[in-house]
Every structure is written in C-alpha cells, then in structure tokens.
Amino acid sequence: MVKVDTFIPKAIDNIKKECKGKAIIALSGGVDSSVCAVLAHKAIGSNLIPIYIDTGLMRKGETDRIRATFKDMNLQIIDAKEQFISSLEGIDDPELKRKSVGENFIRVFEKEAKELGVDTLIQGTIYPDKIESEGGIKSHHNVGGLPERIDFKSIVEPIDQLYKDEVREVARALDLPEEICDRMPFPGPGLAVRVVGKVTREKLDVVREANAIVEEELIEAFDPWQTYAAVLGKGTGVKGDQRVHGWIIAVRAVSSRDGMTAESIELPWKVLKKIESRISGSIPSVVRVVYDLSPKPPATIEFE
Ligand code: XMP
C-alpha cells in the first residue's frame, strides 16, 4: 500500500520538475483526474489549466456536476459532443471505438494546447490501465488508445504507479470531497463502452437514462465497486397491444478490489424488479431488462 505522507510531496516535486511552464490537465471528474488536478495545482498553481471535454458520452448531469465541483479552479469546459459522436458513427468493433474516442480526446487537447501555448499534458492514468494496455488486453483511452502522433512535448502521469484504492487514499489525504473519493470508476471512453455494437445518439440517450436509474437504486444501498446499465441491442416485446422491436438493457453490479477481477453482486429480487420496472416504465423504447451474473474472468466489467 502506498505511503501517502511520502507519496504526496514526492508527486508534487516530480510534477514541478516535469512541467516547464503551463500544463493542461484532462479532468473527467473521477477520482483519478481529480487527484492529479489537486497535486498539479499544488505543484504549479495557476500554470495549471484544467480542461473538461463534454464528449456526449458522459453520464446524466455530469457536466453540471463538474462545473460545480471545480468552480474555484478556472475550469475550461469544451463542448465536443458532435465531434466525438460523429467519429464513432458506423464503428462496431470495441477496440476501434476506443481508438476513435482516444484519438478525439488527444486532438481536442492538442487544439486547446496550441491556442493556449501549452506543451505539457497531465493525465490520471493509473497502474492497472498501464498493465492492461501493455499486455494488449485493451486500449485505455488514456494509454494505448493514444494515436501515434501526439503534439505534446511531454505527458506527465503522476499516479501511474497506484492502484485505485491507493488513489482513493491519496484523495482523502488531499481533503477532496467524500463524493469524489468514493466515486465509482467510469471508463475513459464513457458510455461508448456501454453500448454494444454501433454507437448512435438514440442508444446513448437510452443508456444514459437507464444508467442514472441503476445508480440511484444501487450505489447507496449496496456500495458496489461499479454499477451501471448497458444497451445490448434490440429484441421483441409487447407494448400496449403491439409487438415492438425495442432495446435490451443489461444491469451490472460488481464487487472488486482493483478492477482486475470482479464478482457480480447478489441483489435481492425485489430490488431487481424495481429497477426493471423503473427502466421499462420510463424509457418507452426498452422492452427487456436483464441482470448480468458473470464474474471477471471470464467476463470483463464493461460490456464494450
Ligand atoms: P474491464 O471492463 O476491462 O475494466 O473489466 C476494468 C476497470 O477499468 C475501467 N475501465 C477504464 N478506465 N480508461 C479508464 O480509466 C478506460 O479506457 C477504461 N476501460 C475500462 C472499468 O470501468 C473497470 O472499472
């Protein structure tokens, strides 16, 4: 386990050494990038420019939440929804979806950096992201998902030796709000990995609504490592007196120590039925809700 008392000053020192002049940090509102932002702010103060990209792949209410949380940090919010979603059009291979999102992230940051005259990018990559990318398991949007050509002179990754629970410990030591310290991981490619097959605006709207319901029902009550909804595809159902072809939603809730392995949580039937009825009741295009029992391995946590 990391020794926070020694880790924090050392990390701040390293950032000072590695950042010459201004640096941009890619802020997602999750615990990893928030910890990096605070460390970097302590290291380089107003030379830090935190940027949040609204990719259109974020959870319901996320942009407003981030605006409120980082209101004291000169946060720049960039609306790049069109760019991200139109680039994903027609792609159904999970790795290509990851590459598309990763490429757009970098291109947007490069453009901002050029306009601001900044050549350093700070990222919240953590240790498991690196292992999984290096091992060819998957392309993390912030590691293997990077395109070959990157216009930044340097990329600084202050927490790339830490596991998630260590990052949370550092977050607490830095006095970040509890809500951020305990936040579930959310993948870099966002809701794109919770839409199986081609990503469309309609599927994103459906999955965003379903996800919000699942989070409301399960986070506080069961304290999962992660819980979310994914859209799997279409199936037949009956609405009123009509047979319809509607969306199939999968609900996932897992416990885990570090995301490398995971167990599906044994949820009470009553809770599952309530989630099903809320999702199919409030999203007219959904006809089926299923609960995923699979552990990791053989499944992964995300559906992709
Ligand atoms: P899987 O689905 O491979 O995911 O079992 C393991 C954990 O990693 C999260 N995840 C990501 N985190 N960038 C991230 O920062 C990514 O590209 C990414 N993809 C997956 C996932 O949510 C789970 O907690």
Side-chain angles (χ1 to χ4, degrees):
M1 203 65 178
V2 66
K3 289 201 167 49
V4 278
D5 294 351
T6 49
F7 174 82
I8 292 173
K10 216 167 125 200
I12 294 172
D13 233 42
N14 286 343
I15 298 169
K16 272 188 197 152
K17 280 187 202 130
E18 288 180 71
C19 295
K20 312 268 178 272
K22 287 190 191 306
I24 283 182
I25 181 154
L27 200 54
S28 71
V31 65
D32 304 343
S33 60
S34 300
V35 162
C36 285
V38 176
L39 291 171
H41 197 254
K42 286 186 189 292
I44 61 170
S46 58
N47 269 342
L48 178 73
I49 307 171
I51 293 186
Y52 165 77
I53 304 177
D54 185 351
T55 58
L57 307 170
M58 307 305 282
R59 283 169 289 189
K60 192 174 177 179
E62 190 66 17
T63 302
D64 290 338
R65 206 161 23 233
I66 287 185
R67 191 180 283 118
T69 311
F70 294 95
K71 62 181 185 313
D72 301 328
M73 254 209 209
N74 189 28
L75 177 67
Q76 320 273 313
I77 297 183
I78 297 165
D79 182 351
K81 294 198 270 292
E82 271 314 305
Q83 178 175 338
F84 277 79
I85 297 174
S86 55
S87 301
L88 280 164
E89 226 164 80
I91 307 178
D92 61 6
D93 178 276
E95 278 304 293
L96 295 181
K97 286 198 275 189
R98 283 181 169 277
K99 298 262 186 218
S100 165
V101 177
E103 168 112 25
N104 277 308
F105 262 111
I106 285 294
R107 296 295 169 241
V108 171
F109 279 115
E110 276 180 354
K111 182 168 167 278
E112 289 306 307
K114 207 163 273 169
E115 282 171 23
L116 295 161
V118 178
D119 50 29
T120 302
L121 174 69
I122 300 176
Q123 289 203 128
T125 311
I126 64 171
Y127 191 56
D129 301 346
K130 287 224 147 159
I131 311 177
E132 294 209 330
S133 283
E134 281 160 16
I137 299 171
K138 67 173 179 263
S139 304
H140 273 257
H141 84 288
N142 49 0
V143 192
L146 295 182
E148 296 291 316
R149 191 185 58 78
I150 301 168
D151 265 358
F152 288 98
K153 281 214 181 87
S154 68
I155 294 193
V156 179
E157 297 179 321
I159 54 170
D160 67 350
Q161 296 303 312
L162 303 189
Y163 281 95
K164 199 74 168 191
D165 47 356
E166 297 177 316
V167 180
R168 294 193 199 284
E169 220 186 296
V170 174
R172 281 189 199 98
L174 289 170
D175 276 335
L176 272 155
E178 260 321 289
E179 188 232 34
I180 292 182
C181 301
D182 292 336
R183 217 151 182 221
M184 293 189 305
F186 185 64
L191 297 177
V193 299
R194 297 179 180 175
V195 169
V196 177
K198 293 188 179 101
V199 176
T200 63
R201 285 174 179 78
E202 187 195 355
K203 284 182 180 172
L204 284 170
D205 289 344
V206 166
V207 84
R208 189 177 292 111
E209 282 306 314
N211 198 74
I213 294 171
V214 170
E215 288 194 0
E216 268 173 39
E217 293 295 333
L218 298 183
I219 291 182
E220 247 184 65
F222 296 93
D223 192 24
W225 160 271
Q226 242 169 326
T227 187
Y228 68 84
V231 59
L232 301 187
K234 281 199 162 178
T236 304
V238 186
K239 290 236 166 168
D241 52 6
Q242 294 241 328
R243 279 169 82 82
V244 292
H245 203 43
W247 297 113
I248 306 169
I249 292 290
V251 175
R252 187 107 166 102
V254 297
S255 56
S256 176
R257 193 192 91 87
D258 54 16
M260 309 287 273
T261 60
E263 267 305 328
S264 132
I265 296 175
E266 206 174 315
L267 293 176
W269 188 247
K270 234 170 82 184
V271 172
L272 288 168
K273 288 295 282 179
K274 184 168 176 214
I275 292 174
E276 181 282 319
S277 111
R278 279 193 66 191
I279 293 177
S280 6
S282 63
I283 313 173
S285 56
V286 171
V287 291
R288 256 166 234 265
V289 178
V290 299
Y291 184 56
D292 184 1
L293 302 178
S294 325
K296 174 183 181 177
T300 50
I301 293 177
E302 304 291 346
F303 268 81
E304 314 258 335

